[in-house]
């Protein structure tokens, strides 16, 4: 190692120190390379690059390349795994879509099977779809019974449908917010008493006067009261509308 005078420039001293440090590091790297290599045996091809880099003192570069190679191998492995899982994922998605389509088709078929009877008439039905219940219409009775007039009916369909044509029932079939429930139940009791076979004319007249009843709409199984006046007849249901209450006080028409 050469000696320096006191007046030697400082940058030369610094450059020389850097050169000495680099030389020492190269010697250490070569010693490490020699310790890891068996004398008399060639360097394997797989580690030749690493030994060369260590021999030249470029071990940090080799480490960076090693990290890059590791990252590349891991990326390749991840890509291979993804490519292997892609067909399985595609098949699962395909089966799920097919299952959803089959479910939708089955629901559509069930809907058409259940609702087709409401669209296709029985005379035009080639399959035999289940037909929904078709309630009779009461427009024929509403032509005689005025809107707002009170009716007593004994048929299930008439009790639940005649009010939709304008007349009022003496005893509503359903709870009515405009009528107290106790009053509705009392009216139902009076209507049952009116329709009872053992009722007398005086009892029927009292019910008619109390609730201003003007019409009866009775089925063909119920006997017609003697004071009622029949005005029409339904060929489909056999029901008969009859006028009552004429001539009673407080009831006109």
């Amino acid at each position: 190692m050469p000696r320096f005078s006191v007046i030697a420039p400082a940058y030369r001293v610094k450059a020389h120190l850097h050169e000495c440090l680099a030389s020492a590091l190269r010697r250490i790297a070569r010693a490490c390379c020699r310790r890891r290599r068996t004398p008399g045996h060639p360097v394997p091809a797989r580690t030749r690059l690493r030994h060369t880099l260590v021999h030249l003192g470029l071990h940090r570069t080799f480490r960076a390349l090693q990290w890059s190679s590791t990252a590349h191998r891991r990326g390749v492995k991840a890509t291979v795994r993804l490519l292997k899982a892609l067909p399985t994922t595609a098949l699962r998605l395909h089966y799920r879509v097919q299952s959803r389509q089959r479910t939708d088709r089955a629901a559509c078929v069930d809907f058409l099977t259940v609702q087709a009877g409401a669209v296709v008439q029985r005379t035009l039905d080639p399959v035999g779809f289940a037909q929904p219940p078709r309630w009779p219409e009461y427009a024929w009775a509403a032509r005689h019974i005025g809107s707002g007039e009170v009716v007593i009916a004994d048929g299930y369909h008439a009790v639940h449908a005649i009010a939709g044509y304008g007349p009022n029932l003496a005893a509503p079939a359903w709870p009515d917010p405009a009528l107290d429930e106790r009053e509705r139940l009392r009216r139902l009791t009076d209507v049952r008493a009116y329709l009872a076979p053992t009722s007398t004319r005086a009892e029927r007249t009292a019910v008619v006067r109390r609730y201003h009843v003007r019409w009866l709409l009775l089925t063909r199984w119920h006997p017609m009261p003697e004071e009622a006046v029949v005005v029409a007849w339904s060929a489909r249901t056999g029901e008969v509308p009859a006028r009552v209450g004429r001539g009673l006080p407080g009831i006109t028409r």
Side-chain angles (χ1 to χ4, degrees), residues 7 11 17 23 58 99 128 172 180 182 184 197 226 242:
I7 60 173
Y11 70 90
L17 290 176
S23 177
L58 302 176
S99 177
D180 186 72
R182 291 174 295 181
R184 189 181 75 88
E226 57 183 352

PDB file of all heavy atoms in Angstrom, residues 7 11 17 23 58 99 128 172 180 182 184 197 226 242:
ATOM      1  N   ILE A   7       0.365  16.504   2.067  1.00  0.00           N
ATOM      2  CA  ILE A   7      -0.237  17.477   1.147  1.00  0.00           C
ATOM      3  C   ILE A   7      -0.959  16.801   0.004  1.00  0.00           C
ATOM      4  O   ILE A   7      -1.348  17.451  -0.955  1.00  0.00           O
ATOM      5  CB  ILE A   7       0.864  18.405   0.601  1.00  0.00           C
ATOM      6  CG1 ILE A   7       1.926  17.603  -0.156  1.00  0.00           C
ATOM      7  CG2 ILE A   7       1.496  19.233   1.730  1.00  0.00           C
ATOM      8  CD1 ILE A   7       2.949  18.499  -0.857  1.00  0.00           C
ATOM      9  N   TYR A  11      -9.238  14.019  -2.471  1.00  0.00           N
ATOM     10  CA  TYR A  11     -10.034  13.159  -3.369  1.00  0.00           C
ATOM     11  C   TYR A  11      -9.242  11.935  -3.769  1.00  0.00           C
ATOM     12  O   TYR A  11      -9.803  10.874  -3.979  1.00  0.00           O
ATOM     13  CB  TYR A  11     -10.482  13.954  -4.596  1.00  0.00           C
ATOM     14  CG  TYR A  11      -9.379  14.317  -5.553  1.00  0.00           C
ATOM     15  CD1 TYR A  11      -9.033  13.463  -6.603  1.00  0.00           C
ATOM     16  CD2 TYR A  11      -8.675  15.505  -5.414  1.00  0.00           C
ATOM     17  CE1 TYR A  11      -8.020  13.804  -7.477  1.00  0.00           C
ATOM     18  CE2 TYR A  11      -7.678  15.839  -6.287  1.00  0.00           C
ATOM     19  CZ  TYR A  11      -7.350  14.990  -7.335  1.00  0.00           C
ATOM     20  OH  TYR A  11      -6.354  15.336  -8.212  1.00  0.00           O
ATOM     21  N   LEU A  17      -9.103   4.668  -1.049  1.00  0.00           N
ATOM     22  CA  LEU A  17      -9.817   3.887  -0.031  1.00  0.00           C
ATOM     23  C   LEU A  17     -10.950   3.076  -0.658  1.00  0.00           C
ATOM     24  O   LEU A  17     -11.177   1.915  -0.314  1.00  0.00           O
ATOM     25  CB  LEU A  17     -10.363   4.819   1.052  1.00  0.00           C
ATOM     26  CG  LEU A  17      -9.318   5.471   1.975  1.00  0.00           C
ATOM     27  CD1 LEU A  17      -9.987   6.446   2.931  1.00  0.00           C
ATOM     28  CD2 LEU A  17      -8.541   4.401   2.742  1.00  0.00           C
ATOM     29  N   SER A  23     -11.368  -4.083  -3.637  1.00  0.00           N
ATOM     30  CA  SER A  23     -10.447  -5.205  -3.779  1.00  0.00           C
ATOM     31  C   SER A  23     -10.623  -6.207  -2.650  1.00  0.00           C
ATOM     32  O   SER A  23     -10.624  -7.431  -2.863  1.00  0.00           O
ATOM     33  CB  SER A  23      -9.006  -4.689  -3.824  1.00  0.00           C
ATOM     34  OG  SER A  23      -8.105  -5.770  -3.901  1.00  0.00           O
ATOM     35  N   LEU A  58     -20.183  -9.607  -7.992  1.00  0.00           N
ATOM     36  CA  LEU A  58     -21.523  -9.102  -8.339  1.00  0.00           C
ATOM     37  C   LEU A  58     -22.608  -9.922  -7.639  1.00  0.00           C
ATOM     38  O   LEU A  58     -23.640 -10.256  -8.222  1.00  0.00           O
ATOM     39  CB  LEU A  58     -21.714  -9.137  -9.859  1.00  0.00           C
ATOM     40  CG  LEU A  58     -20.693  -8.335 -10.672  1.00  0.00           C
ATOM     41  CD1 LEU A  58     -20.917  -8.527 -12.164  1.00  0.00           C
ATOM     42  CD2 LEU A  58     -20.762  -6.868 -10.303  1.00  0.00           C
ATOM     43  N   SER A  99     -78.769 -24.990 -14.514  1.00  0.00           N
ATOM     44  CA  SER A  99     -79.710 -25.292 -13.436  1.00  0.00           C
ATOM     45  C   SER A  99     -80.695 -24.158 -13.242  1.00  0.00           C
ATOM     46  O   SER A  99     -81.899 -24.386 -13.070  1.00  0.00           O
ATOM     47  CB  SER A  99     -78.948 -25.557 -12.130  1.00  0.00           C
ATOM     48  OG  SER A  99     -79.837 -25.772 -11.062  1.00  0.00           O
ATOM     49  N   GLY A 128    -106.751 -30.147 -21.192  1.00  0.00           N
ATOM     50  CA  GLY A 128    -107.524 -30.387 -19.985  1.00  0.00           C
ATOM     51  C   GLY A 128    -106.940 -29.664 -18.785  1.00  0.00           C
ATOM     52  O   GLY A 128    -106.718 -30.278 -17.742  1.00  0.00           O
ATOM     53  N   PRO A 172    -123.889  -7.628   6.217  1.00  0.00           N
ATOM     54  CA  PRO A 172    -122.675  -7.811   5.399  1.00  0.00           C
ATOM     55  C   PRO A 172    -121.972  -9.121   5.728  1.00  0.00           C
ATOM     56  O   PRO A 172    -121.902  -9.549   6.883  1.00  0.00           O
ATOM     57  CB  PRO A 172    -121.813  -6.599   5.765  1.00  0.00           C
ATOM     58  CG  PRO A 172    -122.772  -5.585   6.283  1.00  0.00           C
ATOM     59  CD  PRO A 172    -123.851  -6.356   6.960  1.00  0.00           C
ATOM     60  N   ASP A 180    -120.494  -1.279  13.164  1.00  0.00           N
ATOM     61  CA  ASP A 180    -119.961  -1.910  14.362  1.00  0.00           C
ATOM     62  C   ASP A 180    -120.109  -3.426  14.267  1.00  0.00           C
ATOM     63  O   ASP A 180    -121.117  -3.939  13.761  1.00  0.00           O
ATOM     64  CB  ASP A 180    -120.691  -1.382  15.600  1.00  0.00           C
ATOM     65  CG  ASP A 180    -120.077  -1.911  16.884  1.00  0.00           C
ATOM     66  OD1 ASP A 180    -118.971  -1.485  17.237  1.00  0.00           O
ATOM     67  OD2 ASP A 180    -120.710  -2.781  17.511  1.00  0.00           O
ATOM     68  N   ARG A 182    -120.612  -5.681  16.527  1.00  0.00           N
ATOM     69  CA  ARG A 182    -121.741  -6.224  17.283  1.00  0.00           C
ATOM     70  C   ARG A 182    -123.049  -6.027  16.526  1.00  0.00           C
ATOM     71  O   ARG A 182    -123.913  -6.913  16.518  1.00  0.00           O
ATOM     72  CB  ARG A 182    -121.805  -5.562  18.662  1.00  0.00           C
ATOM     73  CG  ARG A 182    -120.653  -5.950  19.585  1.00  0.00           C
ATOM     74  CD  ARG A 182    -120.682  -5.155  20.862  1.00  0.00           C
ATOM     75  NE  ARG A 182    -120.445  -3.734  20.587  1.00  0.00           N
ATOM     76  CZ  ARG A 182    -120.394  -2.790  21.535  1.00  0.00           C
ATOM     77  NH1 ARG A 182    -120.557  -3.125  22.809  1.00  0.00           N
ATOM     78  NH2 ARG A 182    -120.181  -1.534  21.218  1.00  0.00           N
ATOM     79  N   ARG A 184    -123.259  -5.866  13.259  1.00  0.00           N
ATOM     80  CA  ARG A 184    -123.241  -6.800  12.123  1.00  0.00           C
ATOM     81  C   ARG A 184    -123.658  -8.200  12.565  1.00  0.00           C
ATOM     82  O   ARG A 184    -124.422  -8.885  11.866  1.00  0.00           O
ATOM     83  CB  ARG A 184    -121.834  -6.835  11.507  1.00  0.00           C
ATOM     84  CG  ARG A 184    -121.755  -7.611  10.199  1.00  0.00           C
ATOM     85  CD  ARG A 184    -120.330  -7.612   9.683  1.00  0.00           C
ATOM     86  NE  ARG A 184    -119.489  -8.515  10.451  1.00  0.00           N
ATOM     87  CZ  ARG A 184    -119.337  -9.808  10.171  1.00  0.00           C
ATOM     88  NH1 ARG A 184    -119.962 -10.351   9.138  1.00  0.00           N
ATOM     89  NH2 ARG A 184    -118.547 -10.556  10.916  1.00  0.00           N
ATOM     90  N   PRO A 197    -137.188 -21.677   8.320  1.00  0.00           N
ATOM     91  CA  PRO A 197    -138.490 -22.195   7.848  1.00  0.00           C
ATOM     92  C   PRO A 197    -139.620 -21.973   8.836  1.00  0.00           C
ATOM     93  O   PRO A 197    -140.796 -21.927   8.441  1.00  0.00           O
ATOM     94  CB  PRO A 197    -138.214 -23.683   7.640  1.00  0.00           C
ATOM     95  CG  PRO A 197    -136.728 -23.797   7.519  1.00  0.00           C
ATOM     96  CD  PRO A 197    -136.161 -22.721   8.375  1.00  0.00           C
ATOM     97  N   GLU A 226    -144.718 -15.807   1.474  1.00  0.00           N
ATOM     98  CA  GLU A 226    -145.996 -15.540   0.811  1.00  0.00           C
ATOM     99  C   GLU A 226    -146.166 -14.071   0.465  1.00  0.00           C
ATOM    100  O   GLU A 226    -146.896 -13.734  -0.489  1.00  0.00           O
ATOM    101  CB  GLU A 226    -147.138 -15.994   1.709  1.00  0.00           C
ATOM    102  CG  GLU A 226    -147.131 -15.347   3.081  1.00  0.00           C
ATOM    103  CD  GLU A 226    -148.233 -15.872   3.975  1.00  0.00           C
ATOM    104  OE1 GLU A 226    -149.090 -16.633   3.460  1.00  0.00           O
ATOM    105  OE2 GLU A 226    -148.249 -15.536   5.172  1.00  0.00           O
ATOM    106  N   ALA A 242    -137.032 -11.224  -5.457  1.00  0.00           N
ATOM    107  CA  ALA A 242    -138.430 -10.927  -5.131  1.00  0.00           C
ATOM    108  C   ALA A 242    -138.496  -9.644  -4.329  1.00  0.00           C
ATOM    109  O   ALA A 242    -137.641  -9.377  -3.481  1.00  0.00           O
ATOM    110  CB  ALA A 242    -139.051 -12.079  -4.348  1.00  0.00           C
TER     111      ALA A 242
END
